[in-house]
Amino acid sequence: MYIELENITKRFGLFAAIEDVSVGIQEGKLTALLGPSGSGKTTILRVLAGLETQDEGSIYIDGECVDGVPAGKRNIGFVFQNYALFRYMTVYDNVAFGLKVKKRPKAEIKKTVMDMIELVGLSGTEKRYPNQLSGGQRQRVAFARALASDPKILLLDEPFAAIDAKVRAELRGWLKDMIARVGITSIFVTHDQDEAIEVADEIIVTNSGHVDQVGTPQEIYLHPETPFVAKFIGENISVENADLLKAFSVPQGTDEVLVRPEAVYVGSEPAHPNDPVFSGEVTDVSFRGNSIQLKLRYGDQELISFLHDTSCDLTAGDAVDFSVSNVFACKDGNVEVLTA
């Protein structure tokens, strides 16, 4: 592994923000630290950057222990969620700042800055000030500044949090493409699961100061390893209806059973030949633009399904047949995907 955190613990007073965290990150990958507020993801990032010092454990970058190495000597670029640009400096001077501090030759600074500005798609903005740029443009300047010093690692703390939804969606694709072209090992913090799944090569899910699961977006979404991950990723409904549980031979002693909307298919024919079919009632129909959300009642159980045919003429009170493809059975801290 290119980056290794071994048994890292960081306390603030009596509170352990992260405790005994061990995780490895591959070189050249774009990795997401994903979790709810207070789960420890930003603390992991700051300890790796050297902005905080761990109380226990060691950090290795490219095989070298960096314990005790100050932040400025770790060759790490950092992008903050609030951009942290110097408002009285032009785009050019913001990007050049770190190079000037390192007293690089003027010709080298000029070439590097212009290359970085072109890389992030902002050619022609060199003389503008931050207040003359959009939020998305300011964040691109922050990326350019972080990359200008040719760091080994790029760290991003909720980089899209201060940007409106439409621009945030555009920047996700841009970031993934840019990191792929530059080839720099990158880690970004987010609480937005859609962002992590869309952008990251690998996801580290944090929970209450611990790492619950590490895997590709597909592995995290389709095969959650802990009840927390199963509940945190995707949209889930807790199933208590006995007839539905019997159809999936849920093991005795199971703590909770979860079903996602995409596993619920409305129609008299099941999505897959062996899927059990049930009869229920529509309780609510919500238009979502490119889909329709249906709430279904099966006995005393409520389920959710999405229809991509927006011409659907179902209304509340209609009787419907539906099938269920799979459920997640949570037992003793583990999760099993059950099919009929």
Side-chain angles (χ1 to χ4, degrees):
M1 291 292 180
Y2 187 67
I3 300 171
E4 292 183 86
L5 281 69
E6 294 186 353
N7 309 112
I8 299 295
T9 294
K10 174 61 182 176
R11 300 184 186 89
F12 296 96
L14 298 177
F15 172 68
I18 52 176
E19 188 170 12
D20 198 27
V21 167
S22 294
V23 69
I25 295 167
Q26 298 179 48
E27 186 174 10
K29 296 290 186 181
L30 177 55
T31 301
L33 278 167
L34 173 66
S37 297
S39 64
K41 56 189 185 298
T42 295
T43 302
I44 292 173
L45 201 75
R46 291 179 63 84
V47 166
L48 175 57
L51 300 175
E52 302 283 356
T53 302
Q54 70 268 25
D55 297 303
E56 299 172 19
S58 293
I59 299 171
Y60 297 85
I61 297 176
D62 197 15
E64 180 182 348
C65 182
V66 296
D67 296 348
V69 177
K73 300 290 187 180
R74 294 193 184 188
N75 197 16
I76 292 176
F78 207 112
V79 177
F80 299 89
Q81 62 177 282
N82 62 352
Y83 322 126
L85 298 179
F86 299 109
R87 64 179 183 273
Y88 54 86
M89 288 186 183
T90 63
V91 168
Y92 182 98
D93 290 332
N94 264 285
V95 178
F97 180 79
L99 299 173
K100 290 179 179 179
V101 169
K102 294 180 179 181
K103 298 182 179 180
R104 299 282 178 83
K106 287 185 178 180
E108 179 187 334
I109 291 175
K110 183 174 181 180
K111 183 180 186 308
T112 301
V113 171
M114 298 308 290
D115 286 347
M116 289 300 103
I117 290 174
E118 181 180 0
L119 175 69
V120 300
L122 291 177
S123 294
T125 66
E126 300 91 309
K127 296 182 180 179
R128 294 186 192 175
Y129 289 87
N131 64 1
Q132 297 174 309
L133 303 174
S134 67
Q137 288 174 322
R138 288 196 292 271
Q139 193 58 288
R140 291 190 187 210
V141 174
F143 287 132
R145 184 178 62 185
L147 291 172
S149 297
D150 192 26
K152 288 182 180 180
I153 300 166
L154 180 64
L155 304 181
L156 309 104
D157 186 11
E158 303 225 30
F160 308 132
I163 300 170
D164 67 69
K166 187 175 187 302
V167 177
R168 186 162 64 242
E170 293 171 356
L171 279 180
R172 287 175 185 171
W174 172 82
L175 175 64
K176 188 175 181 68
D177 178 65
M178 186 191 73
I179 296 302
R181 284 188 286 135
V182 175
I184 186 173
T185 305
S186 305
I187 306 168
F188 72 100
V189 163
T190 182
H191 62 270
D192 186 331
Q193 59 174 283
D194 292 336
E195 191 167 277
I197 289 170
E198 180 181 340
V199 176
D201 298 312
E202 188 169 66
I203 298 174
I204 299 170
V205 182
T206 56
N207 172 31
S208 299
H210 299 275
V211 170
D212 259 39
Q213 188 172 350
V214 180
T216 65
Q218 292 88 345
E219 289 167 345
I220 295 290
Y221 191 88
L222 297 176
H223 301 286
E225 294 178 355
T226 69
F228 171 80
V229 176
K231 294 176 184 179
F232 183 68
I233 302 294
E235 188 173 353
N236 299 280
I237 296 291
S238 182
V239 177
E240 298 178 355
N241 186 282
D243 290 340
L244 196 150
L245 297 180
K246 288 176 185 176
F248 288 92
S249 302
V250 173
Q252 189 172 9
T254 295
D255 301 312
E256 189 173 17
V257 177
L258 306 170
V259 61
R260 288 179 174 158
E262 62 265 32
V264 180
Y265 177 78
V266 174
S268 56
E269 295 294 326
H272 307 99
N274 295 326
D275 291 350
V277 178
F278 308 92
S279 295
E281 177 186 338
V282 176
T283 59
D284 185 70
V285 181
S286 300
F287 180 65
R288 295 296 183 90
N290 61 354
S291 66
I292 289 177
Q293 176 186 278
L294 295 180
K295 289 185 178 180
L296 309 174
R297 177 68 61 184
Y298 174 59
D300 57 357
Q301 180 71 55
E302 183 178 82
L303 298 171
I304 293 175
S305 179
F306 287 103
L307 301 181
H308 293 289
D309 179 5
T310 54
S311 63
C312 163
D313 58 0
L314 290 172
T315 59
D318 286 349
V320 292
D321 291 332
F322 66 92
S323 58
V324 179
S325 299
N326 58 70
V327 298
F328 294 130
C330 305
K331 182 180 180 180
D332 299 329
N334 297 307
V335 178
E336 183 181 0
V337 183
L338 303 179
T339 56

